Amino acid sequence: MCNQLSGALEGICFLGTFGHRGVKRKFYYITLLRDPVSRYLSEWRHVQRGATWKTSLHMCDGRTPTPEELPPCYEGSDWSGCTLQQFMDCPYNLANNRQVRMLADLSLVGCYNLSTVPEKRRSQLLLESAKKNLRDMAFYGLTEFQRKTQYLFERTFHLKFIRPFMQYNSTRAAGVDLDNDTIQRIEELNDLDMKLYDYAKDLFQQRYQYKHMLDRREQRLLRGQASFHSPFREDGAGGEGTARLPTEDYMNHIINGW
């Protein structure tokens, strides 16, 4: 399992069941998302300390991007010591909308060739692709909701962590003092990530509430109650008035598949 699960993971990992030779294995893609402004500042701090992604090939459609498609933001071995202004000013900075780009299918827009699809259409395709892939994931969490993330993970995969997730708000990103203009600029640079995160928070809460409802139903059944009145039945008696929850198909697929 990804050892960054309870941290600020900004990529995609997979969880699998492993068996003996000949036993079918199942793999599930999972990820954690983070508030885009905090994530952006955290990456800037990381780069400022000398981190690079030189070993990343950025493979797409069987090839790596050309230097013209993905120019570097700096000269030399790294970008250590860069100011936040310098970080924001580079138009080729992959920190911009990183979460959408890593979740989306880049082949839909010609990978890193920006001349293939008009900018507005490119943004729309990337955002919709990222949303779809997020919906189809067996599980995803949000770093600002650590306990709820743990709750959903444990009930999706029927696993238990030995310790509860901790909510750490005193991060390097939180320690950066910004004025409103700078915050607005970061939000503009990460407009697609902002939209994805709003969508992700809404869907996350729906899934959390649905799992909570299932838990309450199970507890009532275990207590031997004769009847269960679902809050989602229009007539209070079930039958044809039952409304489906938006995540019901998703959760049934995951629970049955697991």
Side-chain angles (χ1 to χ4, degrees):
M1 190 182 72
C2 300
N3 58 7
Q4 303 101 325
L5 183 60
S6 61
L9 179 67
E10 289 133 16
I12 301 173
C13 56
F14 63 85
L15 179 72
T17 57
F18 301 88
H20 299 292
R21 183 177 302 176
V23 177
K24 185 178 180 180
R25 299 178 179 181
K26 296 179 181 179
F27 294 93
Y28 296 92
Y29 286 95
I30 65 177
T31 192
L32 293 183
L33 298 182
R34 186 176 180 181
D35 168 73
V37 174
S38 295
R39 197 219 63 78
Y40 188 84
L41 292 171
S42 179
E43 182 167 346
W44 163 59
R45 285 295 203 190
H46 195 49
V47 169
Q48 194 180 46
R49 297 193 302 272
T52 67
W53 282 263
K54 289 182 177 179
T55 58
S56 299
L57 298 178
H58 305 294
M59 291 291 294
C60 181
D61 278 352
R63 70 175 184 88
T64 60
T66 65
E68 291 75 25
E69 291 173 340
L70 191 59
C73 286
Y74 58 89
E75 297 179 356
S77 59
D78 58 48
W79 207 5
S80 58
C82 72
T83 65
L84 180 57
Q85 189 62 52
Q86 291 172 328
F87 195 72
M88 293 189 297
D89 285 346
C90 178
Y92 313 107
N93 193 343
L94 292 182
N96 300 342
N97 293 310
R98 181 178 290 279
Q99 294 181 111
V100 164
R101 192 180 67 257
M102 295 186 74
L103 282 169
D105 179 2
L106 297 183
S107 64
L108 295 174
V109 294
C111 300
Y112 291 90
N113 186 350
L114 301 183
S115 64
T116 304
V117 181
E119 182 180 359
K120 185 175 181 180
R121 179 59 176 162
R122 177 185 177 88
S123 296
Q124 181 183 16
L125 288 171
L126 287 175
L127 180 58
E128 291 307 314
S129 176
K131 287 180 178 180
K132 178 186 182 301
N133 289 334
L134 191 68
R135 285 194 307 271
D136 292 344
M137 281 190 175
F139 161 86
Y140 75 88
L142 304 176
T143 60
E144 67 176 296
F145 300 110
Q146 291 286 343
R147 294 297 178 87
K148 289 183 178 180
T149 291
Q150 179 178 0
Y151 175 87
L152 277 177
F153 183 92
E154 291 179 340
R155 280 151 183 80
T156 299
F157 298 113
H158 306 292
L159 299 172
K160 294 287 288 185
F161 289 93
I162 60 175
R163 287 190 298 270
F165 287 9
M166 300 298 294
Q167 188 72 51
Y168 293 109
N169 294 320
S170 298
T171 62
R172 290 187 175 90
V176 180
D177 188 20
L178 301 175
D179 56 42
N180 291 334
D181 289 342
T182 302
I183 294 175
Q184 182 177 350
R185 176 58 177 157
I186 294 174
E187 291 176 345
E188 291 172 352
L189 290 170
N190 294 274
D191 178 62
L192 297 183
D193 271 11
M194 297 294 292
K195 293 175 179 176
L196 174 68
Y197 197 67
D198 286 341
Y199 174 82
K201 284 195 295 185
D202 181 65
L203 183 58
F204 179 86
Q205 295 294 350
Q206 289 183 49
R207 292 180 176 180
Y208 175 79
Q209 291 167 9
Y210 178 67
K211 288 300 293 180
H212 238 334
M213 185 271 290
L214 291 182
D215 277 353
R216 290 195 299 270
R217 174 187 294 174
E218 182 178 354
Q219 291 168 7
R220 289 171 179 171
L221 290 174
L222 290 175
R223 287 197 299 264
Q225 291 188 358
S227 61
F228 173 74
H229 301 287
S230 171
F232 303 100
R233 294 173 179 172
E234 295 178 1
D235 57 5
E240 296 180 355
T242 301
R244 294 180 67 86
L245 282 172
T247 57
E248 185 171 357
D249 291 337
Y250 162 83
M251 292 308 303
N252 285 338
H253 169 72
I254 296 302
I255 293 170
N256 294 333
W258 187 259

